[in-house]
Amino acid sequence: QVQLVQSGAEVKKPGASVKVSCKASGYTFIDYYMYWVRQAPGQGLEWMGWINPNSGGTKYAQKFQGRVTMTRDTSISTAYMELSRLRSDDTAVYYCARDGAITGTTLWFDPWGQGTLVAVSS
Amino acid sequence: QSVLTQPPSVSAAPGQKVTISCSGSSSNIGNNFVSWYQQLPGTAPKLLIYDNNKRPSGIPDRFSGSKSGTSATLGITGLQTGDEADYYCGTWDSSLSAVVFGGGTKLTVL
């Protein structure tokens, strides 16, 4: 079955960077766009951007431009999201989620990874 | 402040029906497909509805979606206690060039 398994929780200090991984299985990794969405404690969902695993092309939400980098390693079917210059308000659960269809961007997300808690604290 | 507006909470008795609204504008809901997600406590979101009104395989027909103009609605019939969750709508916003979500609606099954 299609599955996305993310890396474990991280605790970081303000100003540091974090890199979260998302390992895909059960489908051809390069065939589907991958998205990243975060959720601050008790808050709603916030879209961060996407990566085309085939080309490596990315699109980032304006809010994260300059701080986020999405990459992939096709040899191990894994996508990565790195966020730099962390602040306390970056404390959130970070999710990867696959695009719903095999071509292009349908912009609906299915399935989702289990989430990775990133806590930023001095 | 979310781009899409949802009621913070709704409630209904087991077996009853509930609707959750999602209001936007011409730059988002008005000209793009809407999807809906269910987030059970402590878990990742799960796709319920895509392309306004389509259900993925495995989603019961108790869940339905519709769209009219710049608003979308999620309907849930035959409510069960297991439906207690947060529900989010999402779509593309052409002006922002971004995926946008509603603020979420907490469903309580009394």
Side-chain angles (χ1 to χ4, degrees), chain A residues 39 47 59 95 108-109 112-113, chain B residues 37 39 44-45 47 50 88 97:
Chain A
Q39 186 172 36
W47 177 73
K59 178 171 177 62
Y95 294 101
W108 42 274
F109 310 146
W112 296 58
Chain B
Y37 303 88
Q39 187 174 33
L47 178 70
Y50 66 97
Y88 294 90
S97 193

Side-chain angles (χ1 to χ4, degrees), chain A residues 53-72:
Chain A
N54 189 30
S55 67
T58 55
K59 178 171 177 62
Y60 304 139
Q62 186 172 8
K63 174 177 179 176
F64 300 102
Q65 288 274 5
R67 282 209 304 146
V68 71
T69 305
M70 295 177 188
T71 57
R72 91 290 190 218

Side-chain angles (χ1 to χ4, degrees), chain B residues 7-26:
Chain B
S9 63
V10 296
S11 62
Q16 296 300 302
K17 172 182 178 177
V18 71
T19 60
I20 297 173
S21 61
C22 176
S23 178
S25 68
S26 59

Side-chain angles (χ1 to χ4, degrees), chain A residues 18-36:
Chain A
V18 68
K19 190 171 185 177
V20 179
S21 68
C22 171
K23 182 169 177 60
S25 61
Y27 72 98
T28 302
F29 177 67
I30 61 172
D31 282 351
Y32 294 78
Y33 280 54
M34 192 73 79
Y35 302 92
W36 290 89

Side-chain angles (χ1 to χ4, degrees), chain B residues 52-107:
Chain B
N52 301 333
N53 55 18
K54 297 181 174 64
R55 285 187 310 276
S57 170
I59 300 300
D61 60 6
R62 299 190 299 108
F63 296 90
S64 63
S66 64
K67 188 181 96 168
S68 177
T70 59
S71 292
T73 301
L74 173 70
I76 311 173
T77 60
L79 279 171
Q80 303 172 2
T81 55
D83 295 331
E84 288 202 331
D86 294 323
Y87 292 84
Y88 294 90
C89 57
T91 188
W92 179 254
D93 190 295
S94 305
S95 295
L96 297 174
S97 193
V99 173
V100 292
F101 292 101
T105 299
K106 183 176 182 61
L107 168 64

